[in-house]
Amino acid sequence: MTVAALHDPDSTGETCLQLTGISKRFGNLHVLDDVALSVRHGERRGIIGPNGAGKTTLFNVIAGELAPTSGKVHLYGREITRLPPHSRARLGLARTFQTTTLLPGLTVVENLVLSLQALTPTRFQCFVPRTRYRAFREEALRLLGQVQLDHCADWLVRALGHGEQRQVEILMALAQRPKLLLLDEPTAGLSAADAVLVTDMLRAYHRDVAMVLIEHDLSVVFNVVERITVLHYGRVVAEESVEGIHDNPVVQEIYLGGKL
Amino acid sequence: MISRSWRNIAIIGVLLVLAIAVPRLGLPAFYVSLLTQTWIYGILAMSLDLLVGFTGLVSFMQAAFFGIGAYVVAIGATRYHFVDFWLTLVVAVLVAGIAAAAFGALALRAEDAGFIIITLALNEIVWGLAYQWVSMSGGDNGITGFLRVNVGPFHTTDNSGFYYLSLTALIICLTLLVLMVRSPFGLVLVGARERPRRMAALGYNVWLFRYLALVIAAMFAAVAGVLFAYYNEFVGPGSLSLDTTVQVLIMVILGGTGTLIGPLLGAGILVFLSNALSDITQRWVLILGAVYVVTVMYAPDGIVGLINRLAARARSRRELSLAASAAPAGAFNPRGGPER
Ligand SMILES: Nc1ncnc2c1ncn2[C@@H]1O[C@H](COP(=O)(O)OP(=O)(O)O)[C@@H](O)[C@H]1O
Ligand SMILES: [Mg+2]
């Protein structure tokens, strides 16, 4: 039994994210085809599928960077299909990118402060030095302390290792206490040890936030999520619990090649 | 060892005392006037640095707002008999802000090269308006027939009085801009320049912040324009020409973008160079171009950037020799340590 299953939230819980009939075309290329997806409050969901299946495109549709050709996106019952990315973030949606996207020329704390002040009116304050806002810095240090990174609080982000940068990116997303976190291949390009750091961090996080996780490394998926959606050529071809995914014939045929 | 911030404060203090002393040193009036122009163009160049250096917007329309500020003075005084300095200043800043709100909405529909081209076109439109609308602007002849007005303690009719007015304005603008780039708002501008996608994902309306920066920068440019009009007691379309825009951009890049103080230095270099060279040769613009090319090639981050790099190199050499003589071999931080 996985650790995630121990925490399985009430399966009758509220719906966090709901996609209905999402399609996305780039010219003649159908990248997403009638995708439906429903994620409950606090759920941990994995999305797997071969390269080019449309996983990142799906995230971009959910986060608002791409408008779907058709279909609707709902967050906690509210339709957000036409909202820009920043408005969705203000409704509690956070994300990490497939390639770590931080502000490399700023310090680790500055990156976190940007995240913390984003949802407050302080972001418009233009005549008071940042150093006056001690609470942001203290909260940033507290968050860094949770992953033993407080010693590099004042380093430039680019001085951190890949794994640490990933951790900072996830911390930035979690610092806003989002309701839904989208993680696009959070362990891609990390060493095995760094990948463990990241998965431990995700597993340990409390269950108020729903997470949708795109992953190539299936051991990561199985460690963190309880349900898995399989995307293939832009279509949802299977949705299964972690326990059931091994035996799903569609999955075995098209993705796992029967070797799982 | 004296901390670097104390050293900086000391340097600023010395420079300030020097700047205040200049008109009393018995220098030829010519130099006082060049420094006055440096302070005025310095405000303009710093306002552009807020966009180019901090927000990442290479705007070619900053001269338009400078010119709008200047024309508000001239038109206000000659047609509407505005002679109150403060009222004129407020109106000029507001008009420039409103113009920037309109132009910004147009220009920010595009990014990068598109933004540059739109701002260039908008600047040309404002210039064309000043050039063509003869009944209002005096066309090519510009507007004369208004005089400097005294401002508080500054007797602007003598040149040292105007020098102190400009220096005071510079210090106020520099202080406000330094506060701004060190504020939470300033951090957002830098974030939006570096990683707009990340900033949007965090919940920042990147467009809005760029827009606000554009409007704020235009207001500072208008302050410079007001001083410029009073200083010359003349305003012509040259003040908002593409020429002016390009020269201000060169001031910013030459001095070092994203440093505020660099563009002020750049303004000084251009003011002094243009005066020295235009006496000798008509082709001073060519020499300016050459200076610019050399900067871009050998000091892409400007003079301030070059100084910082040389200082960092000297410091690390000093630290290395210290480390070699004193520290055990293992003390070297494997990660290279904090870069700041
Ligand atoms: N902006 C775009 N324009 C055109 N094609 C795109 C665009 N974004 C993604 N694609 C195409 O969509 C397909 C799915 O890409 P992506 O969503 O990144 O897949 P995945 O993340 O599952 O590997 C790929 O064939 C890719 O080339
Ligand atoms: Mg992808």
Side-chain angles (χ1 to χ4, degrees), chain A residues 65 86 89-90 95 97 101-103 114 117-118 122-128 130 133 155 164 169 176, chain B residues 180-185 187-188 191 194-195 197-205 209 335 338-340:
Chain A
E65 281 196 19
H86 65 90
R90 309 192 78 76
R95 74 177 295 188
F97 292 91
T101 304
L102 295 164
L103 295 125
L114 268 176
Q117 74 176 27
T122 304
R123 69 189 188 283
F124 290 112
Q125 177 55 258
C126 44
F127 293 117
V128 179
R130 298 194 275 280
Y133 295 92
W155 295 12
E164 292 160 336
E169 193 184 24
Q176 302 189 323
Chain B
M180 194 169 293
V181 303
R182 292 184 174 184
S183 71
F185 179 81
L187 190 61
V188 179
E194 293 281 305
R195 290 285 186 272
R197 275 181 93 195
R198 163 50 67 206
M199 295 299 281
L202 288 176
Y204 290 103
N205 184 343
F209 280 89
R335 276 185 216 276
E339 288 190 42
R340 275 198 184 167

Side-chain angles (χ1 to χ4, degrees), chain A residues 56 98 184-185:
Chain A
T56 298
Q98 186 164 349
D184 196 346
E185 305 198 18

Side-chain angles (χ1 to χ4, degrees), chain B residues 19-48:
Chain B
I20 291 171
V22 158
R24 289 153 203 236
L25 294 179
L27 289 173
F30 175 65
Y31 290 107
V32 176
S33 109
L34 289 187
L35 277 173
T36 307
Q37 291 176 49
T38 298
W39 307 148
I40 296 173
Y41 277 115
I43 296 172
L44 179 58
M46 291 184 319
S47 80
L48 185 58

Side-chain angles (χ1 to χ4, degrees), chain B residues 12-292:
Chain B
I12 290 167
V14 170
L15 288 177
L16 196 61
V17 168
L18 270 178
I20 291 171
V22 158
R24 289 153 203 236
L25 294 179
L27 289 173
F30 175 65
Y31 290 107
V32 176
S33 109
L34 289 187
L35 277 173
T36 307
Q37 291 176 49
T38 298
W39 307 148
I40 296 173
Y41 277 115
I43 296 172
L44 179 58
M46 291 184 319
S47 80
L48 185 58
D49 193 26
L50 184 68
L51 297 181
V52 175
F54 291 92
T55 318
L57 293 174
V58 183
S59 170
F60 274 75
M61 60 179 176
Q62 206 63 1
F65 306 120
F66 178 70
I68 285 173
Y71 271 100
V72 165
V73 172
I75 293 172
T78 54
R79 290 182 195 284
Y80 301 101
H81 308 293
F82 267 20
V83 285
D84 183 68
F85 175 83
W86 296 108
L87 187 63
T88 307
L89 184 70
V90 168
V91 172
V93 166
L94 285 181
V95 171
I98 291 165
F103 294 177
L106 287 171
L108 284 174
R109 291 163 153 264
E111 286 191 28
D112 306 325
F115 177 84
I116 290 176
I117 289 165
I118 295 176
T119 54
L120 223 149
L122 288 168
N123 200 88
E124 283 299 273
I125 288 171
V126 176
W127 175 83
L129 200 65
Y131 194 77
Q132 306 266 325
W133 193 3
V134 178
S135 63
M136 182 56 97
S137 67
D140 201 15
N141 294 328
I143 300 175
T144 51
F146 59 97
L147 297 173
R148 295 180 190 174
V149 290
N150 286 339
V151 182
F154 303 109
H155 293 282
T156 57
T157 41
D158 61 2
N159 279 334
S160 72
F162 206 93
Y163 174 93
Y164 286 119
L165 173 66
S166 308
L167 181 62
T168 308
L170 173 81
I171 290 167
I172 293 172
C173 289
L174 178 59
T175 307
L176 288 176
L177 285 166
V178 166
L179 278 176
M180 194 169 293
V181 303
R182 292 184 174 184
S183 71
F185 179 81
L187 190 61
V188 179
L189 296 186
V190 172
R193 177 195 73 198
E194 293 281 305
R195 290 285 186 272
R197 275 181 93 195
R198 163 50 67 206
M199 295 299 281
L202 288 176
Y204 290 103
N205 184 343
V206 168
W207 181 93
L208 177 65
F209 280 89
R210 288 179 177 157
Y211 186 68
L212 291 173
L214 248 157
V215 172
I216 292 168
M219 291 172 149
F220 280 100
V223 172
V226 166
L227 291 170
F228 189 71
Y230 281 123
Y231 176 71
N232 293 311
E233 298 180 335
F234 163 76
V235 178
S239 64
L240 34 67
S241 66
L242 198 58
D243 236 41
T244 305
T245 272
V246 170
Q247 283 189 29
V248 179
L249 261 171
I250 293 179
M251 290 173 190
V252 172
I253 294 167
L254 184 66
T257 57
T259 60
L260 291 180
I261 213 77
L264 173 60
L265 191 65
I269 292 172
L270 253 75
V271 166
F272 277 80
L273 211 59
S274 70
N275 274 280
L277 291 177
S278 56
D279 281 354
I280 307 166
T281 160
Q282 288 293 307
R283 302 245 168 264
W284 86 270
V285 178
L286 251 164
I287 298 179
L288 186 61
V291 169
Y292 178 70

Side-chain angles (χ1 to χ4, degrees), chain A residues 26 29 31 50-57 98:
Chain A
F26 293 110
L29 189 66
V31 176
N51 249 328
K55 304 178 299 292
T56 298
T57 305
Q98 186 164 349

Side-chain angles (χ1 to χ4, degrees), chain A residues 20-232:
Chain A
T20 38
I22 292 288
S23 298
K24 179 67 192 176
R25 280 201 314 263
F26 293 110
N28 284 331
L29 189 66
H30 290 249
V31 176
L32 295 173
D33 188 4
D34 197 24
V35 172
L37 182 73
S38 179
V39 178
R40 277 172 291 113
H41 175 77
E43 189 181 334
R44 303 291 148 95
R45 174 70 62 98
I47 295 184
I48 61 174
N51 249 328
K55 304 178 299 292
T56 298
T57 305
L58 186 67
F59 268 19
N60 286 335
V61 167
I62 299 171
E65 281 196 19
L66 291 175
T69 312
S70 62
K72 289 194 161 109
V73 185
H74 285 85
L75 188 68
Y76 285 96
R78 172 170 177 178
E79 193 187 333
I80 58 168
T81 319
R82 312 235 156 270
L83 290 185
H86 65 90
S87 306
R88 298 184 197 208
R90 309 192 78 76
L91 292 175
L93 194 156
R95 74 177 295 188
T96 65
F97 292 91
Q98 186 164 349
T99 42
T100 305
T101 304
L102 295 164
L103 295 125
L106 300 181
T107 67
V108 175
V109 159
E110 282 171 329
N111 272 264
L112 282 165
V113 166
L114 268 176
S115 168
L116 290 166
Q117 74 176 27
L119 306 180
T120 71
T122 304
R123 69 189 188 283
F124 290 112
Q125 177 55 258
C126 44
F127 293 117
V128 179
R130 298 194 275 280
T131 46
R132 292 278 182 80
Y133 295 92
R134 280 172 195 282
F136 286 144
R137 184 182 166 85
E138 276 158 23
E139 174 66 4
L141 290 176
R142 192 186 67 77
L143 288 165
L144 288 168
Q146 287 176 354
V147 289
Q148 286 79 50
L149 281 179
D150 36 349
H151 63 282
C152 29
D154 293 314
W155 295 12
L156 292 187
V157 159
R158 68 164 80 93
L160 297 180
H162 288 301
E164 292 160 336
Q165 290 195 10
R166 266 289 157 183
Q167 286 182 296
V168 170
E169 193 184 24
I170 295 169
L171 274 186
M172 267 172 95
L174 291 173
Q176 302 189 323
R177 301 177 191 279
K179 295 179 191 139
L180 172 63
L181 173 57
L182 308 176
L183 298 141
D184 196 346
E185 305 198 18
T187 65
L190 299 190
S191 68
D194 282 346
V196 169
L197 279 180
V198 169
T199 36
D200 284 351
M201 181 176 168
L202 294 176
R203 271 162 31 135
Y205 204 76
H206 64 78
R207 305 291 300 199
D208 286 342
V209 53
M211 294 184 189
V212 181
L213 190 82
I214 294 175
E215 230 348 309
H216 267 307
D217 183 343
L218 294 180
S219 67
V220 172
V221 186
F222 294 153
N223 261 320
V224 178
V225 307
E226 56 245 5
R227 279 188 85 71
I228 292 178
T229 299
V230 184
L231 209 60
H232 190 60

